[in-house]
Amino acid sequence: MDISEFDAGITRVFQLDLPPEAVERYTAQAGTGEWPLQYGLGAKRLRAAFVEVVAIRDLGDMPLSTYLAEGYGLTGQDFRDDRARLDALRGHVVILTSAAFDRTAQTLNIQSPLRWVGSYADETKAPIGRPLRSASAEGALEGGAPGGPVSKGSSTTLKLILAALVVIVLAVLAFALGGGA
């Protein structure tokens, strides 16, 4: 599984096939830096703050798909298609957001006791990456037609900021020319 340095808005779910008493030992990063979960994923970079391990029984009556939809904002068609499969899982799952990979390009080599279940794009978030800089990448601003003229620098907020800066500069000049007291 290839992870791009520009990977964003993707939530990956893995089944963890371990008995409950072994889950914490596998998923917790030791003080020595040893982390079986990172090795099981084959990840060269993994941030613990963006790794969630869920005991499905702890969700009570809430299906896993509802937890993912509400907790991670998943709404895409691929997610909707997999809801029944996600809800059939038992035991523990590991949930990784794109941020878990710390913008590090890498290839995961997933090994037992992990099993990849699915990767789900969050259709509500804008992708993170380098902005496109070609003329064809220019879009239309609000109210403009696609491919039509793009109005730059005409937003109300920008005008207010510039007006405030002018007032501040004039006040500083008046204070300086007036002797400061």
Side-chain angles (χ1 to χ4, degrees):
M1 179 180 299
D2 290 324
I3 307 294
S4 163
E5 65 186 285
F6 304 110
D7 189 87
I10 299 175
T11 301
R12 293 170 177 85
V13 179
F14 299 86
Q15 174 79 46
L16 182 57
D17 295 320
L18 284 175
E21 62 274 6
V23 169
E24 186 174 348
R25 190 171 45 251
Y26 185 82
T27 59
Q29 188 172 17
T32 60
E34 296 292 312
W35 195 5
L37 175 62
Q38 183 175 0
Y39 304 141
L41 289 166
K44 62 181 173 182
R45 179 84 173 112
L46 191 64
R47 296 175 64 198
F50 298 97
V51 174
E52 182 179 15
V53 180
V54 175
I56 294 175
R57 72 175 182 277
D58 290 348
L59 298 177
D61 292 335
M62 179 185 290
L64 178 60
S65 66
T66 301
Y67 178 78
L68 292 167
E70 292 179 8
Y72 290 87
L74 300 181
T75 59
Q77 186 62 47
D78 53 348
F79 171 71
R80 290 191 304 269
D81 291 345
D82 276 1
R83 284 188 85 127
R85 190 165 66 95
L86 289 162
D87 293 341
L89 297 174
R90 299 291 172 249
H92 290 79
V93 293
V94 176
I95 304 168
L96 304 174
T97 62
S98 294
F101 302 105
D102 200 24
R103 294 186 183 220
T104 302
Q106 53 191 300
T107 299
L108 302 183
N109 182 17
I110 298 124
Q111 298 177 20
S112 182
L114 293 168
R115 183 176 50 85
W116 175 71
V117 176
S119 298
Y120 308 103
D122 178 358
E123 295 179 350
T124 61
K125 290 184 182 170
I128 297 173
R130 294 182 184 152
L132 299 176
R133 303 213 185 270
S134 71
S136 64
E138 293 288 324
L141 293 178
E142 195 172 307
V150 177
S151 172
K152 295 188 179 194
S154 63
S155 78
T156 304
T157 304
L158 182 59
K159 289 178 183 178
L160 289 173
I161 291 170
L162 289 174
L165 286 173
V166 168
V167 169
I168 291 169
V169 168
L170 290 175
V172 169
L173 284 174
F175 182 74
L177 294 175

